[in-house]
Amino acid sequence: MKSMASRQAYSKIFEVEKPVIGYARFGRVLKFNKYLFILQVILLVFVFEFLVIFFLEDYFKILSDITRRILEDSYTGNYKFLSFKLEYSISHGRLPTLQESFIYLIVSFLSLLFLISRFNPLPKYISAWLIYVSFVYFVSSFYFVFFSNSFPYTERDFAVLYILQQTGVFLFIPILLAFSLSIFTFSWLNPLLNAITIALSLTYSSVFGGLRYIVFAYTLKNFSYIHMPAMFFLFGPLLDFIYIVSLYSLCLYMTIKLFQRKQEAFYQWGF
C-alpha cells in the first residue's frame, strides 16, 4: 500500500512538471503565386520555342557555310528532321591505323592503373574526371585495335547525330529553364530575369555549339575516328548540362541578391 501511494504521488508530480510544447516556426518559405507561375511558363516556352523553330534552319545553314570556308575539301549535305531541312558541312575522316590505336590503348590503360592506384597524388574530383576520360579512350582504342574494319559510323553519321543533338538542346533549354525558374513568383521582376537567363543560355549554346562542331570536324579530318566517342561522351551533352546548370545557378544568385534587402516582403513563416 505504501509503495502504491508513493507511485501515485510520483506520477502526480510528473504530471505537474511535464512541459507543455507549443507550436513553433520551423522556417521561412517563399510566397508562391500559381497564376504567375502558369503565366511565366506559357509565355517563356511559347516565345523561345517559337524563336528556336523560326531560326533553326538558318542557324545550321550559317554554321555549314562557316565550316565549309574553314575546312578545305569538305562536302555539304542536309538532313530532314520533321519539317526542318538541316544543312551541314563535314570533311572526310579516316580510320586510325593499328599503330595509333595500340598507342592509345597502352597510354589509356597505364593512365587508368596510375589513377586508381594509391600513388596518385591528385585530388579525387580531378582523378574521377581523368578516370572517365581514360576509360572512354581505352574502350575506343580497344575497339579499333580488334574491330577496326567493322566500325559502322562515318563523318556523315557524326554530323547528322550532332545537329540532332544540338537541335534537342535548343528545344530543351526553354522548357527546362521555364519550369525550373518560374517557381519564383514573389515579384514581377522574376519573369524578366528568367527570360534573360533563357536568352543567354540559347545564345551561349548557339556560339559554343557552333565552335564545338568546327573543332570536332577538324579533329575527324586531321586525326581519326578514335576521338569520336570522346566527342560525345566527354564534350557532348555533358558539357551542355554543365553550362545550363551554371547559368541557372547564376540566375538564382542574382535573384537572391536582387531581393535580399526586401526579403520580409517575399518570405512567409512556415508552421
Side-chain angles (χ1 to χ4, degrees):
M1 294 293 292
K2 188 176 181 180
S3 60
M4 183 179 297
S6 62
R7 285 197 298 269
Q8 291 177 353
Y10 178 78
S11 61
K12 290 181 180 180
I13 295 173
F14 178 77
E15 290 178 358
V16 172
E17 295 180 351
K18 184 173 63 175
V20 179
I21 301 176
Y23 292 102
R25 296 172 175 179
F26 70 85
R28 292 187 300 178
V29 295
L30 284 173
K31 294 180 180 178
F32 180 76
N33 187 330
K34 61 181 180 181
Y35 301 106
L36 185 56
F37 169 78
I38 296 175
L39 181 61
Q40 278 193 86
V41 171
I42 294 176
L43 288 179
L44 293 175
V45 171
F46 177 80
V47 170
F48 285 103
E49 290 292 353
F50 174 80
L51 292 175
V52 168
I53 293 173
F54 185 79
F55 290 106
L56 189 62
E57 289 187 356
D58 293 333
Y59 170 79
F60 284 109
K61 187 177 186 309
I62 294 173
L63 178 59
S64 175
D65 294 338
I66 296 174
T67 306
R68 188 170 57 251
R69 294 179 182 180
I70 294 177
L71 302 178
E72 299 177 355
D73 65 11
S74 62
Y75 63 92
T76 301
N78 57 75
Y79 181 81
K80 189 173 182 181
F81 174 67
L82 300 178
S83 60
F84 303 106
K85 190 176 182 181
L86 308 178
E87 184 177 314
Y88 63 87
S89 292
I90 192 73
S91 297
H92 293 281
R94 67 174 180 85
L95 293 171
T97 63
L98 180 60
Q99 182 181 2
E100 287 176 325
S101 302
F102 189 74
I103 292 175
Y104 275 102
L105 181 64
I106 297 300
V107 172
S108 59
F109 179 72
L110 294 177
S111 299
L112 283 173
L113 290 180
F114 171 74
L115 291 169
I116 64 178
S117 69
R118 62 178 181 177
F119 303 105
N120 179 14
L122 299 174
K124 291 185 178 180
Y125 61 91
I126 296 179
S127 297
W129 169 250
L130 293 178
I131 289 173
Y132 181 50
V133 173
S134 301
F135 180 76
V136 170
Y137 271 98
F138 175 77
V139 174
S140 177
S141 57
F142 181 87
Y143 181 90
F144 282 106
V145 167
F146 296 99
F147 311 103
S148 178
N149 294 329
S150 60
F151 187 66
Y153 303 108
T154 64
E155 68 280 349
R156 181 190 177 278
D157 298 317
F158 163 79
V160 170
L161 184 57
Y162 185 89
I163 62 176
L164 291 177
Q165 169 197 311
Q166 194 63 36
T167 300
V169 172
F170 288 151
L171 296 173
F172 179 69
I173 286 177
I175 297 175
L176 173 66
L177 292 182
F179 275 94
S180 58
L181 293 175
S182 294
I183 61 175
F184 302 108
T185 58
F186 47 88
S187 173
W188 286 98
L189 289 177
N190 283 122
L192 178 60
L193 184 59
N194 297 342
I196 294 175
T197 303
I198 297 176
L200 287 176
S201 301
L202 288 173
T203 302
Y204 186 91
S205 180
S206 301
V207 176
F208 176 75
L211 293 176
R212 181 173 55 181
Y213 176 79
I214 294 173
V215 172
F216 286 176
Y218 178 86
T219 302
L220 292 179
K221 173 188 175 184
N222 294 279
F223 298 95
S224 67
Y225 292 155
I226 200 170
H227 300 281
M228 190 180 292
M231 293 177 182
F232 286 101
F233 292 106
L234 299 178
F235 308 106
L238 179 61
L239 285 186
D240 293 321
F241 174 78
I242 291 175
Y243 70 72
I244 291 174
V245 172
S246 299
L247 291 171
Y248 170 79
S249 302
L250 179 61
C251 180
L252 294 188
Y253 173 80
M254 294 178 63
T255 301
I256 294 173
K257 288 295 183 181
L258 188 61
F259 300 115
Q260 64 179 354
R261 295 183 180 179
K262 301 180 180 180
Q263 57 183 352
E264 294 298 332
F266 307 117
Y267 286 98
Q268 60 185 8
W269 286 104
F271 294 92

